[in-house]
Amino acid sequence: VELKIYLKDYKSKLSSVVDLDGRSGSNVLRDMFDNEKVFNNPKSVELMSWLMSYFVAKKDTVLDFFAGSGTTAHAIAKLNAEDSGTRKFILVSSTEATEDTPHKNLCRAVCAQRVRRVRGGYTNAKGETVAGLGGGFAYLRAKRIPKHRLSLKLDHPQIWNALQLLHARPISAWPSGGFAVDEAADGAAIAYLADAYPASVARMQQWLAARGA
């Protein structure tokens, strides 16, 4: 029996030795941040995307609890652009603030900015326009709230985003006001009445009437 493998189905074996320029991760990041050194020893996008191509399927979600400079998100976006995948990512990071740098926020200033630029495009250190790889992105902040204080400490934007996450809806900003609706293309909807003011209740009633409820 002769086994045939078509070129389109062929994939090289995962090598234990990789020949790679160790400066590539830093060079890519510097190019995105006006040639500034904003993070020490970032991972290589090429290496990460190559490794993920072996074990991350086109519809998978990757969770990175040590997001650092956001290389994982960059690699996922690169893979999706190459093979039309719909991979998603969840990045988790602390601010990495210290007593000497209490206002430091690596997650917001580096990781989130990198993901936005990778997705939407940016101007590199040479002044050239780099096209974005596409896709959405939401930046969320977490804070610790004691259970007995939940009813007092949660504000409307947090409740709104929590409802969207619970119902697998894309994150959107709280539109303010006392009543908000998030409607999907298939007709499914999330509605949130934030207060009992007459104007808010009237808006809710009008929305319910329009839906035949």
Side-chain angles (χ1 to χ4, degrees), residues 12-107:
S12 61
K13 293 182 180 179
L14 183 60
S15 176
S16 58
V17 178
V18 180
D19 183 11
L20 185 72
D21 186 347
R23 299 167 298 178
S24 63
S26 295
N27 291 340
V28 168
L29 201 58
R30 278 180 174 273
D31 199 46
M32 299 180 69
F33 287 85
D34 298 323
N35 214 27
E36 293 183 23
K37 184 178 181 180
V38 295
F39 188 81
N40 294 322
N41 304 315
K43 296 183 290 293
S44 164
V45 177
E46 293 296 332
L47 176 61
M48 291 298 293
S49 60
W50 176 71
L51 289 172
M52 289 182 187
S53 70
Y54 284 91
F55 58 84
V56 180
K58 287 187 176 182
K59 296 183 179 180
D60 282 355
T61 298
V62 176
L63 173 62
D64 186 351
F65 260 109
F66 301 93
S69 67
T71 305
T72 296
H74 197 157
I76 290 293
K78 182 176 181 294
L79 279 177
N80 285 341
E82 291 173 348
D83 62 11
S84 300
T86 56
R87 300 170 187 85
K88 300 177 182 178
F89 58 84
I90 301 172
L91 306 184
V92 182
S93 177
S94 67
T95 63
E96 298 195 12
T98 64
E99 290 185 0
D100 295 330
T101 56
H103 301 296
K104 179 180 179 180
N105 192 329
L106 175 74
C107 187

Side-chain angles (χ1 to χ4, degrees), residues 172-186:
S172 63
W174 168 245
S176 74
F179 179 67
V181 176
D182 182 352
E183 295 192 73
D186 61 2

Side-chain angles (χ1 to χ4, degrees), residues 138-141 154-175 180 182 190 192:
Y139 173 67
L140 305 176
R141 292 179 297 172
L154 283 179
D155 54 28
H156 298 310
Q158 292 172 326
I159 296 172
W160 179 243
N161 290 153
L163 287 171
Q164 291 178 314
L165 289 171
L166 286 171
H167 294 277
R169 296 289 300 143
I171 295 294
S172 63
W174 168 245
D182 182 352
I190 302 171
Y192 174 47

Side-chain angles (χ1 to χ4, degrees), residues 1 4 97 203:
V1 178
K4 290 185 178 180
R203 288 172 57 199

